Amino acid sequence: MRKRTREIAMELLYQSTMNEKNIEELVDDYFEDNHEDLREDTDIKYLEEVLNGVNEKREELDSIIEKYLVNWKIQRVSKINLSILRLSAYEILFMQGIPENVSIFEAVEIAKKYSDETSGAFINGVLDKIAHQEKGLA
C-alpha cells in the first residue's frame, strides 16, 4: 500500500508545481478523477503528512537538494525528478520509521517508471548524499 501511495504523492507533488491548487484540492481531485477505487487502498494519513510536509518545507528541501546537485541548478531538474527528490528527501530528513535505504530505493523505482532511463542513477546519487551528509549516516 505504501509503494502505490508514494507514487500518488509524487504525482500530486508534480501537479502542485503546475497549478495553484492546495493539497486538499489536489487529493480530492485525484480521487474524483477515475481513482475513487484507489482511496481505500491508499495510506491517506501518510499521503497527507508527506504532501503537507513537503509543501511546508519546500524551500528548505530545495536548498538541501541543490547543495548535492553536481554542476546543476535546481531549475534545470525536471519537474518529475524534482517531485521525486522532494518526496524522498522529506521522508529521509523528517519522517520517523522509514529507513533511508527504503526511501532511496522507492525513489529510484518511481524514477524508472515515470522519468527517463538516467534519472534513477541521478536520484540515487543525490538522495544517498542527503542521507549520508545531512543525517550523518555511516
Side-chain angles (χ1 to χ4, degrees):
M1 179 163 52
R2 178 72 54 89
K3 181 177 185 143
R4 180 62 189 134
T5 304
R6 270 193 188 89
E7 289 183 16
I8 294 168
M10 185 281 299
E11 291 174 32
L12 294 175
L13 288 171
Y14 173 75
Q15 287 179 23
S16 75
T17 66
M18 307 305 266
N19 62 51
E20 297 297 317
K21 291 184 179 179
N22 68 37
I23 297 301
E24 204 170 281
E25 290 174 307
L26 288 170
V27 171
D28 288 342
D29 287 352
Y30 181 86
F31 288 110
E32 284 175 16
D33 294 342
N34 304 319
H35 300 296
E36 190 61 45
D37 56 324
L38 290 175
R39 189 181 288 270
E40 65 186 46
D41 294 329
T42 302
D43 184 345
I44 297 294
K45 183 178 180 220
Y46 163 83
L47 183 64
E48 290 176 348
E49 179 180 352
V50 78
L51 292 174
N52 287 318
V54 169
N55 191 46
E56 288 171 15
K57 298 199 176 283
R58 181 171 289 175
E59 286 182 32
E60 182 179 352
L61 290 167
D62 286 357
S63 176
I64 291 168
I65 290 166
E66 190 164 39
K67 186 175 9 174
Y68 298 105
L69 297 175
V70 179
N71 298 322
W72 279 64
K73 292 287 181 198
I74 202 161
Q75 295 83 0
R76 287 189 57 213
V77 177
S78 75
K79 299 288 188 219
I80 291 283
N81 289 344
L82 185 55
S83 298
I84 296 167
L85 287 167
R86 284 174 174 158
L87 170 65
S88 294
Y90 180 80
E91 283 186 351
I92 291 166
L93 297 170
F94 301 107
M95 293 186 79
Q96 302 295 319
I98 302 173
E100 289 78 11
N101 61 331
V102 171
S103 293
I104 294 169
F105 176 80
E106 291 293 335
V108 170
E109 292 301 306
I110 292 171
K112 288 178 184 177
K113 183 173 180 178
Y114 290 90
S115 196
D116 63 49
E117 59 192 42
T118 62
S119 293
F122 167 73
I123 286 171
N124 183 62
V126 173
L127 292 174
D128 187 63
K129 289 176 188 171
I130 290 171
H132 284 86
Q133 302 203 13
E134 295 296 317
K135 293 240 357 200
L137 299 177

